[in-house]
Amino acid sequence: MSSTEQEHKDSNPEKEGEESGGFIDKVKDFIHDIGEKIEGAIGFGKPTADVTAIHIPTINLEKADIVVDVLVTNPNPIPIPLIDINYLVESDGRKLVSGLIPDAGTIQAHGSETVNIPLTLVYADIKDTYDDIKPGSVIPYRIKVDLIVDVPIFGRLTLPLEKTGEIPIPYKPDVDIEKIQFEKFSFEETTAILHLKLGNKNEFDLGLNALKSEIWLSDESIGSAELIEPTKIDKNGFGFTKIPVTFRPKDFGSALWDMIRGRGTGMP
């Protein structure tokens, strides 16, 4: 090689960089390709998760119980532990409730399981924190869930999930006794039907499935009465229902005559 050729070679570092860079890129591609082949041969992959349903099994004047169903699929040949579940429920960017569920179980190999995440919204806590959330209103909510799993090769992974909807903040209905209809009257046992007028102050229809009341004659309680048929009341409207009650008049003395004269009957 002549000195001119040697000088030309030494004076072209850009070409050397290209050759060097090309070699390094080829090595990286080779390693990545080998990694993918090993991963494919062993069968490891990232799990997936999806919110399939949101249930409200209990809702009353004090709280709402919410259950979020999350379907987790494990494509790996071994079970993977579900280390933690972080959840947050917010409305218009404001936190309503949050929490952590540790050691949430294991997802079996090559399987799918539904993980149930229970949440509870306590209305008193919400109203104490946010004065503008009033009873009788419907508020939007956003549920955010992070599932943290431990997968071989990948390590710890966080699977973020999100779901939106609306939930009512119930206001108790107004209850008035319109009349008392006696079905059977004797001093040993009297059966009557209480005709109730129910007022719904909520911005949503109210399905009344249970109503427990205590009946008083003057200052004496004659027992309790319960709703026997569900009743639907339109929003900001009125509904009517009947409640049967049975008592023994001879046990209540003058309180009975006060009731017959239309005085001293009440429902707390």
Side-chain angles (χ1 to χ4, degrees), residues 64-77:
D65 292 327
I66 302 173
V67 178
V68 182
D69 291 346
V70 177
L71 182 65
V72 183
T73 300
N74 176 20
N76 299 290

Side-chain angles (χ1 to χ4, degrees), residues 59-62 135-136 169-177 196-213 227 231-241 243 267-268:
I59 184 168
N60 53 40
L61 299 176
E62 297 177 354
I169 308 294
Y171 189 87
K172 66 179 181 180
D174 290 335
V175 181
D176 291 321
I177 299 178
L196 305 182
K197 180 180 180 181
L198 308 172
N200 180 13
K201 294 182 178 181
N202 296 285
E203 293 297 324
F204 48 87
D205 295 346
L206 188 65
L208 194 62
N209 296 321
L211 176 65
K212 293 184 179 180
S213 303
L227 186 71
T231 300
K232 179 184 175 182
I233 315 171
D234 294 336
K235 66 177 183 178
N236 296 315
F238 293 93
F240 299 89
T241 190
I243 295 181
M267 296 180 65

